[in-house]
Amino acid sequence: MSLSDDRAGRLILSLRRQGVTDARVLKAMESIDRSLFVHEKFLDQAWEDQALPIDCAQTISQPYIVGLMTQALEVGPRHRVLEIGTGSGYQCAVLSRLARFVYSVERYKSLLTEAEAKLKVLGVDNVFTRHGDGGQGWLEQSPFDRIMVTAASPHEPTELLKQLKPGGVLVAPVGRSSVQMLNRYTGQEDGSFRRESLCEVRFVPLVEGTAKEG
């Protein structure tokens, strides 16, 4: 067993102890080399259960939060999933192991380009990406079976909920402060949504529009 395999195994055991018990989610996370998505300055921490900085003042999420959100999303092998906030591409790679197709939107063009290159290295071929305003989703490809938002919306993501299939699930951090609430929305038969609050989290804010870089 290589050092990276050993670290991955210890991380998966840690996630299981913390309540991430979905076998498909754990297998998907174990199959993705997180070090590929981590900035070279933090490679020694790639398999630690903590968030790490990436370019554009963004972060790669803590593995526990990735596991928790993915488990809450309940992704099936036939599902079409919308991800808001491609970031490093790590969460997208995990989702690609679970869903039929993943559609990912990122407001930073440079981050998107880097993430696309990393997904290509992994041989991922069921992910479609877009440079755009994540708060507007991807209307042309809607409706989606599942939607994951990896940046904190200041209010309930009503525009994204409109792009969810009946009975679908959306998981998103919501709140304006440095600490937000991770919510899970499940579509009901009457067209409304049942909201569950899962835990407090810290995410970068969901910002309108695309970013100016350079």
Side-chain angles (χ1 to χ4, degrees), residues 152-170:
S153 175
H155 45 70
E156 291 198 342
T158 54
E159 194 62 38
L160 296 175
L161 287 169
K162 294 176 185 176
Q163 298 182 29
L164 198 61
K165 283 185 178 180
V169 175
L170 182 151

Side-chain angles (χ1 to χ4, degrees), residues 107-119:
R107 72 186 302 265
Y108 290 97
K109 181 62 176 178
S110 60
L111 283 183
L112 186 62
T113 300
E114 290 180 18
E116 289 170 341
K118 292 167 183 175
L119 292 170

Side-chain angles (χ1 to χ4, degrees), residues 7-79:
R7 289 175 175 174
R10 284 191 281 112
L11 176 60
I12 295 303
L13 284 175
S14 173
L15 299 183
R16 188 184 294 277
R17 293 190 193 103
Q18 294 179 79
V20 180
T21 57
D22 188 304
R24 291 183 68 236
V25 172
L26 293 171
K27 182 178 180 181
M29 293 185 68
E30 190 171 21
S31 74
I32 303 296
D33 184 355
R34 189 170 183 251
S35 67
L36 179 63
F37 300 91
V38 170
H39 196 285
E40 60 181 9
K41 292 188 295 185
F42 303 104
L43 282 176
D44 61 329
Q45 301 172 59
W47 290 104
E48 299 298 323
D49 189 20
Q50 61 186 38
L52 295 169
I54 59 174
D55 292 339
C56 303
Q58 305 298 295
T59 61
I60 176 172
S61 293
Q62 177 188 358
Y64 167 67
I65 295 299
V66 171
L68 178 68
M69 291 180 71
T70 306
Q71 179 171 270
L73 204 62
E74 297 184 347
V75 181
R78 302 296 296 175
H79 285 161

Side-chain angles (χ1 to χ4, degrees), residues 27-196:
K27 182 178 180 181
M29 293 185 68
E30 190 171 21
S31 74
I32 303 296
D33 184 355
R34 189 170 183 251
S35 67
L36 179 63
F37 300 91
V38 170
H39 196 285
E40 60 181 9
K41 292 188 295 185
F42 303 104
L43 282 176
D44 61 329
Q45 301 172 59
W47 290 104
E48 299 298 323
D49 189 20
Q50 61 186 38
L52 295 169
I54 59 174
D55 292 339
C56 303
Q58 305 298 295
T59 61
I60 176 172
S61 293
Q62 177 188 358
Y64 167 67
I65 295 299
V66 171
L68 178 68
M69 291 180 71
T70 306
Q71 179 171 270
L73 204 62
E74 297 184 347
V75 181
R78 302 296 296 175
H79 285 161
R80 298 170 71 253
V81 179
L82 172 64
E83 179 196 35
I84 302 302
T86 314
S88 70
Y90 176 65
Q91 175 71 82
C92 189
V94 172
L95 290 171
S96 77
R97 295 287 199 261
L98 301 168
R100 183 179 184 184
F101 297 116
V102 180
Y103 298 80
S104 189
V105 183
E106 173 57 54
R107 72 186 302 265
Y108 290 97
K109 181 62 176 178
S110 60
L111 283 183
L112 186 62
T113 300
E114 290 180 18
E116 289 170 341
K118 292 167 183 175
L119 292 170
K120 186 175 181 179
V121 168
L122 289 176
V124 173
D125 61 2
N126 64 335
V127 169
F128 303 90
T129 57
R130 181 180 197 176
H131 177 227
D133 182 345
Q136 299 304 309
W138 198 329
L139 185 60
E140 301 89 334
Q141 294 295 337
S142 66
F144 299 95
D145 300 287
R146 300 289 187 267
I147 299 177
M148 178 182 286
V149 187
T150 61
S153 175
H155 45 70
E156 291 198 342
T158 54
E159 194 62 38
L160 296 175
L161 287 169
K162 294 176 185 176
Q163 298 182 29
L164 198 61
K165 283 185 178 180
V169 175
L170 182 151
V171 174
V174 178
R176 294 180 179 275
S177 65
S178 59
V179 177
Q180 308 96 23
M181 184 60 67
L182 183 63
N183 290 339
R184 169 186 157 112
Y185 301 84
T186 305
Q188 305 298 294
E189 291 184 3
D190 62 0
S192 65
F193 293 91
R194 178 167 58 90
R195 183 183 68 192
E196 305 166 74

